[in-house]
Amino acid sequence: MAEIVYPLVITTARGLFKALDVRIDVRGAEHVPASGGAVLVSNHISYLDFLFVGYGALPAGRLTRFMAKKEVFAHPVSGPLMRAMRHIPVDRSAGAGAYGQAVARLRAGEVVGVFAEATISRSFTVEQIKNGAVRMAAEAEVPLIPVTLWGTQRMWTKGRPKRLTQRHIPVTIDIGEPLYPKPGQDTEELTAALRATMERRLDGVQRAYPGVADAAGAWWQPAHLGGAAPTPEQAAALDAAERESRRRR
């Protein structure tokens, strides 16, 4: 199937990044295979994260198919774009269909992007992660590649106003060495190991981020590094209140 929309979206995004002088630092791009299936599993701190995870796979010449909640596909603007780029809709009340579709894509040699926390982390730490990324990589027998993003939360994140026109924001895209889950391995053990890897890499990226020495008290800096972001406990309480509010509506 010819790719028409996806390349146009990439060109548009690159133009915007250039116009805003977004200072993107891609590390470890060589870990994305040039062919064959792979799962890119990333932390989630911004509504724009899919753009940057996808950007990290471009040096390998790969287009990433993201798993995203079905509501995004129902939107009159984002929906047609998501379908044209062949992303994968997820119905959280019945996720087996999306999981099966992702495994089929992986076996067909595609790259699938997963935000394993399933929601944006308000604390800017790695929250509890779902085991789906590990399971699908094991079932399809493809590499599982951890991706760490930092800086994207400064552009647009949950509970904060958009800052899409702010210039010179540094963004780090750190791509780690692949993991190779195999069928029959302990899924929960592998998921815990994946989360530990993501936490370790995120901490390293956060501490090496440009201007970190002057970020004490900043809203976009995590609490454990002296920032004003909610602690993981506070973030969990905010998320619970948001879910209850949605349920009542």
Side-chain angles (χ1 to χ4, degrees), residues 48-67:
L48 303 176
D49 287 342
F50 72 97
L51 289 174
F52 291 94
V53 174
Y55 188 94
L58 291 180
R62 307 306 302 274
L63 298 178
T64 305
R65 314 299 179 179
F66 287 94
M67 302 185 74

Side-chain angles (χ1 to χ4, degrees), residues 113-174:
V114 178
F115 296 105
E117 295 160 285
T119 189
I120 290 174
S121 171
R122 297 177 191 262
S123 66
F124 307 137
T125 62
V126 180
E127 297 185 353
Q128 291 292 331
I129 65 175
K130 310 293 185 181
N131 63 20
V134 169
R135 288 169 49 226
M136 67 177 65
E139 186 170 340
E141 297 190 71
V142 300
L144 177 67
I145 304 172
V147 180
T148 303
L149 300 177
W150 192 241
T152 61
Q153 78 279 17
R154 298 179 64 182
M155 301 175 74
W156 187 16
T157 193
K158 185 180 288 188
R160 303 290 306 188
K162 299 176 188 177
R163 307 177 76 197
L164 300 179
T165 59
Q166 182 171 337
R167 295 172 59 82
H168 314 310
I169 292 178
V171 170
T172 303
I173 305 169
D174 175 80

Side-chain angles (χ1 to χ4, degrees), residues 31-53:
H31 295 313
V32 180
S35 62
V39 178
L40 301 183
V41 56
S42 176
N43 66 316
H44 199 10
I45 52 175
S46 166
Y47 292 109
L48 303 176
D49 287 342
F50 72 97
L51 289 174
F52 291 94
V53 174

